[in-house]
Amino acid sequence: MASKQAIGKLTREIFGQLPNTNIRTGNQVLKQRLTGAIKARYYPESIDPIARLVTPGYLNAQEERRKLKLDQLRRRGKGPPKKGSGKRKKK
C-alpha cells in the first residue's frame, strides 16, 4: 500500500499541481493566457510617422487642438511668453 505522501507526489507529477504549502507563488498569473498579441492586433498602428514623412506640416488631431487653443490664448494675451522674454528677462 502506497503512503499518502507518495500518492500526493504522483498526483502532482501527473496533473502538474504544486504542493499545498500556503506560500504565494504567482502561479495564477502564470497560468493565464498571454494577451499581448491579441491587444497588439486590437489597436491599429498609428499613421502619424508615415504621414509626417509624406506630408510636410502634418498635424494629428491632438496637435491641431493644442495649436488652436494656444492661438486663442495668445489672442487674449494669456499664452506663454516668447522664448527669452519671461519674468527673469534681464533689462
Side-chain angles (χ1 to χ4, degrees), residues 47-77:
I47 63 163
D48 289 345
I50 298 162
R52 286 181 203 281
L53 293 173
V54 175
T55 311
Y58 171 78
L59 296 174
N60 62 15
Q62 188 176 12
E63 289 171 342
E64 278 187 48
R65 268 186 260 119
R66 185 186 139 272
K67 200 164 190 171
L68 285 172
K69 187 167 183 172
L70 272 176
D71 289 341
Q72 289 172 349
L73 288 172
R74 282 192 185 122
R75 275 188 259 130
R76 292 183 0 218

Side-chain angles (χ1 to χ4, degrees), residues 8-81:
K9 185 178 178 186
L10 272 176
T11 56
R12 284 194 293 277
E13 286 177 11
I14 293 170
F15 298 112
Q17 296 173 341
L18 291 174
N20 190 7
T21 57
N22 296 330
I23 297 173
R24 291 182 172 210
T25 59
N27 276 330
Q28 283 187 336
V29 177
L30 294 174
K31 284 181 191 176
Q32 292 173 356
R33 289 190 316 162
L34 299 175
T35 58
I38 296 167
K39 288 178 184 173
R41 259 195 330 246
Y42 180 80
Y43 295 103
E45 269 191 53
S46 176
I47 63 163
D48 289 345
I50 298 162
R52 286 181 203 281
L53 293 173
V54 175
T55 311
Y58 171 78
L59 296 174
N60 62 15
Q62 188 176 12
E63 289 171 342
E64 278 187 48
R65 268 186 260 119
R66 185 186 139 272
K67 200 164 190 171
L68 285 172
K69 187 167 183 172
L70 272 176
D71 289 341
Q72 289 172 349
L73 288 172
R74 282 192 185 122
R75 275 188 259 130
R76 292 183 0 218
K78 304 281 186 178

